[in-house]
Amino acid sequence: MPTPEAGRPIAGFTGTVARPRHLVVRLPDGRVARSQQLTAPLAAQVALFLRAAGPAAESRTPDGEPYQRADDGLVVEVAAGTTRHAVVAVVVRVQE
């Protein structure tokens, strides 16, 4: 697995506020990419932030995939892969 990169802000998430499945992460070039499925401990940690942030509006990635937007403020460490779908892995921890 690649070395974790500096923190990246999340743009949103898939799943529910109580059980997010994936994060949509804002990349350095401005694009967004969906993370791999969150582990249970990371999902629980992210859910705490999402509940505090309140209701989320729906948005779509440039590929048309729906996700719920999240307020800026949550930053995660990621390892960006080189797959054709620009999937990233949340590998270390949530930074508030």
Side-chain angles (χ1 to χ4, degrees), residues 18 20 22 35-36 43 45 54-55 67 69 80 82 86-87 91 94:
H22 304 270
S35 72
Q36 293 178 343
Q45 198 174 2
Y67 69 92
R69 284 187 285 181
T82 57
V87 174
V91 294
V94 174

Side-chain angles (χ1 to χ4, degrees), residues 80-91:
T82 57
T83 65
R84 69 184 191 122
H85 296 294
V87 174
V88 297
V90 178
V91 294

Side-chain angles (χ1 to χ4, degrees), residues 44-68:
Q45 198 174 2
V46 170
L48 292 173
F49 172 84
L50 296 174
R51 278 192 284 261
E58 189 169 294
S59 192
R60 291 189 177 274
T61 65
D63 294 336
E65 183 177 4
Y67 69 92
Q68 295 181 64

